[in-house]
Amino acid sequence: MAKLRAFRVLWQAFSSAFGEEAPMIPLFTETSVRSYSKLDPYVNLLRAGNSTFAAVLGGTDAHTVHPHDFLTKPDLSSRRIARNVQLVIKEEAHVSHVVDPSAGSYFVETLTKEYVEAGWNYFLEIEQAGGYSEVIKSGWLTDDIQAKWVDRENNTATRQQSLIGTNIYANPQEPVRDSKIGDSHLEYMTAKRLATPFENLRAQSKVVNLKSAIILLEPVKNIKAQVDFVSGFLAVGGIEPLVSSHLATAKEINQFLANEAIDYGVLCGSKEAVEAVVTGLDTKASIDLAGRYPKEQLSEWAQFGINETLYSGKHMTTKLDKILALGKEAF
């Protein structure tokens, strides 16, 4: 909403800077395919609904809703649902009866003002650099946009920005749909999408045999939050770990890892429980710890097979790529 409102203000300011009266300019919008994902595609329907509602409240003149399965192969049903998203908002939310539904909202008005100031300052920055032609020729504008995109990718990889069903609340049993691209889809399919790295991980998980496990150093009721976090972290990469029973000693852990032929395991438990068993580990499996630990301590434990840690804020795509690389190619 704020972006569309800010655009109209900036258009007026931009025109007046040239001493001209701003002509009316129609705004055509569409649901952003950049935020769509092939994973859990029905969440795309929620994204489409949210963005469509925002576009209407922000004052769009015409809006296109892409089907939730737009990245794979839309059918008559998904196209009908996409069309009905607009009809429901128009006929049941009655937004067409109000000229400016978001007017007077402190949050929207403040956000609009922030967008206007940031946008105008960006115009001035481009002008000081020699104008649009110069920043395109020098590559400055492209580099700046790329840097902002990298920031967004990092935010998604560290879960500062959520993609439901993709980087959080993922279902590893869900099939990864192959793209069936028609000519009309080519432009959108080549656009950068935040979900792409996660889709690649899920596709990779389907072609490797990786035996993984969550190893309980305490009764599960004591460490359930830790176990749920690790399970959810691995699920993003399509990894379904075996969960052990309570294993209180290093001997039991070594035996479990050997019997199950585990390639990768995560120890879940308090720091005291970890310290009690780590020096007795003797396994070929790659072992990580749940939670944060000092680098010095991890260096000391490296000789016992401890590699890294899993914790909130860790770069998921980088870590999951390393984990999947431990598996064997499936034939």
Side-chain angles (χ1 to χ4, degrees):
M1 291 189 294
K3 286 180 180 177
L4 295 182
R5 290 162 58 87
F7 174 79
R8 295 187 186 279
V9 175
L10 286 169
W11 177 247
Q12 292 286 340
F14 191 76
S15 298
S16 63
F18 286 90
E20 301 177 1
E21 182 179 350
M24 290 298 295
I25 180 170
L27 288 183
F28 298 95
T29 57
E30 61 182 272
T31 49
S32 174
V33 180
R34 291 183 183 275
S35 66
Y36 272 32
S37 174
K38 298 176 190 175
L39 306 173
D40 205 353
Y42 285 103
V43 179
N44 293 335
L45 183 57
L46 301 178
R47 296 183 178 110
N50 287 338
S51 62
T52 301
F53 194 55
V56 172
L57 297 186
T60 185
D61 292 295
H63 183 72
T64 299
V65 180
H66 294 301
H68 60 275
D69 54 358
F70 181 82
L71 297 174
T72 50
K73 189 178 181 181
D75 55 25
L76 292 177
S77 177
S78 64
R79 289 191 176 95
R80 182 169 184 267
I81 292 172
R83 184 174 65 253
N84 284 346
V85 167
Q86 299 188 59
L87 296 178
V88 167
I89 290 175
K90 177 185 176 183
E91 302 295 341
E92 299 187 20
H94 305 295
V95 292
S96 59
H97 298 170
V98 183
V99 174
D100 189 357
S102 57
S105 165
Y106 175 80
F107 173 70
V108 176
E109 297 285 4
T110 301
L111 191 57
T112 300
K113 181 174 180 291
E114 291 175 355
Y115 274 128
V116 169
E117 292 176 350
W120 189 254
N121 289 335
Y122 202 53
F123 283 154
L124 296 179
E125 191 176 350
I126 292 174
E127 193 67 19
Q128 290 172 359
Y132 180 75
S133 298
E134 286 300 319
V135 295
I136 286 292
K137 189 185 303 181
S138 66
W140 176 87
L141 186 60
T142 302
D143 292 343
D144 192 58
I145 293 173
Q146 177 61 24
K148 289 179 171 60
W149 177 258
V150 171
D151 288 341
R152 293 186 66 188
E153 286 185 318
N154 286 333
N155 288 340
T156 308
T158 55
R159 280 184 177 171
Q160 296 179 58
Q161 181 175 343
S162 297
L163 290 175
I164 304 300
T166 301
N167 75 339
I168 191 170
Y169 303 125
N171 178 10
Q173 296 180 351
E174 179 191 27
V176 180
R177 292 168 172 77
D178 293 328
S179 301
K180 297 182 179 179
I181 307 173
D183 291 340
S184 61
H185 284 56
L186 286 176
E187 179 182 350
Y188 297 101
M189 294 300 295
T190 54
K192 292 182 179 179
R193 293 184 298 109
L194 293 172
T196 299
F198 300 96
E199 294 168 359
N200 292 339
L201 287 170
R202 290 284 289 278
Q204 184 183 350
S205 71
K206 301 301 180 184
V207 296
V208 297
N209 287 324
L210 175 71
K211 298 204 68 175
S212 60
I214 295 176
I215 302 155
L216 308 183
L217 304 184
E218 299 179 53
V220 68
K221 64 179 182 179
N222 297 342
I223 53 173
K224 188 175 187 305
Q226 214 177 52
V227 173
D228 288 346
F229 169 77
V230 173
S231 179
F233 190 105
L234 297 179
V236 170
I239 302 170
E240 298 181 77
L242 175 67
V243 180
S244 76
S245 58
H246 175 201
L247 305 176
T249 67
K251 182 178 179 181
E252 291 176 326
I253 296 172
N254 293 333
Q255 190 65 47
F256 169 78
L257 294 172
N259 291 344
E260 300 294 338
I262 300 298
D263 301 307
Y264 171 76
V266 183
L267 301 183
C268 289
S270 64
K271 292 185 178 180
E272 293 76 17
V274 170
E275 290 171 353
V277 301
V278 70
T279 56
L281 293 179
D282 183 15
T283 176
K284 295 180 180 179
S286 177
I287 303 296
D288 282 343
L289 304 177
R292 291 180 179 270
Y293 288 81
K295 290 183 179 180
E296 298 77 14
Q297 197 165 39
L298 290 176
S299 297
E300 293 178 9
W301 290 346
Q303 59 182 313
F304 305 111
I306 302 298
N307 292 316
E308 297 183 19
T309 57
L310 298 186
Y311 54 85
S312 179
K314 192 174 187 69
H315 199 283
M316 301 185 75
T317 53
T318 301
K319 180 58 183 174
L320 289 169
D321 188 55
K322 290 180 181 178
I323 295 172
L324 289 171
L326 299 170
K328 304 173 183 63
E329 186 175 350
F331 294 98

